[in-house]
Amino acid sequence: MKWYPIPGIELTGKPFIRKVKVSGKGIIVIGYEDKLYALGSTCPHAGAELSGGWCKEGKIICPFHRYSYDLQTGKGSPGQNDYVDSYPVEIREGEVYVGIETFWDRVLSR
Ligand code: FES
C-alpha cells in the first residue's frame, strides 16, 4: 500500500466531497458525519461524476439516476449489483492521506 497526501483539505467537521487525482486515479475524498472516506469518482452505472452527488444515511448518491453506494465499502445498494472502488484514508499530523494498493500488493496477496 502506498499512501498519498491529499493537500488542501481542512478538517473543520463540515461535510464535503472533493475530487482529486491520485496515482492516475480519479478519487473523491468525502467528509461526512466527522469521518473521512475515499471512493472512485466515476459511477459504475453510466459513468456520472460522483463528486456532483451528495451523502445520505452513510451512502453517496449519484446525481444522475440516484444509485447509491456505501461510503465505507463502495458497495451498491441492494438490487444494483455494482460497486465503486473504496480506498483507506488516514489523518497524519493533520494531513489527509489516501492509500492505493500497488501492483506488488496485488501480486503478493494471491
Ligand atoms: S450514472 Fe450514476 S446512477 Fe446512473
Side-chain angles (χ1 to χ4, degrees):
M1 181 81 58
K2 185 169 181 185
W3 291 88
Y4 294 86
I6 310 296
I9 292 182
E10 289 184 34
L11 301 171
T12 63
K14 290 184 180 175
F16 69 87
I17 300 174
R18 168 87 55 83
K19 183 176 179 187
V20 295
K21 198 96 168 170
V22 180
S23 186
K25 298 175 185 296
I27 290 177
I28 49 172
V29 179
I30 301 161
Y32 176 70
E33 294 186 342
D34 294 327
K35 289 186 181 168
L36 291 171
Y37 305 93
L39 297 172
S41 66
T42 304
C43 180
H45 176 233
E49 180 54 58
L50 288 172
S51 62
W54 61 92
C55 296
K56 183 179 176 186
E57 298 172 355
K59 297 178 178 186
I60 185 158
I61 315 297
C62 177
F64 271 30
H65 311 103
R66 310 279 200 264
Y67 277 30
S68 56
Y69 300 91
D70 186 276
L71 290 172
Q72 188 71 50
T73 65
K75 190 172 179 220
S77 291
Q80 291 179 201
N81 297 317
D82 61 358
Y83 69 93
V84 290
D85 290 330
S86 64
Y87 303 92
V89 187
E90 285 187 5
I91 301 171
R92 300 178 186 171
E93 298 176 4
E95 190 162 17
V96 175
Y97 285 76
V98 170
I100 306 286
E101 198 176 56
T102 67
F103 169 77
W104 287 112
D105 293 330
R106 289 189 294 277
V107 168
L108 297 173
S109 69
R110 289 184 183 166

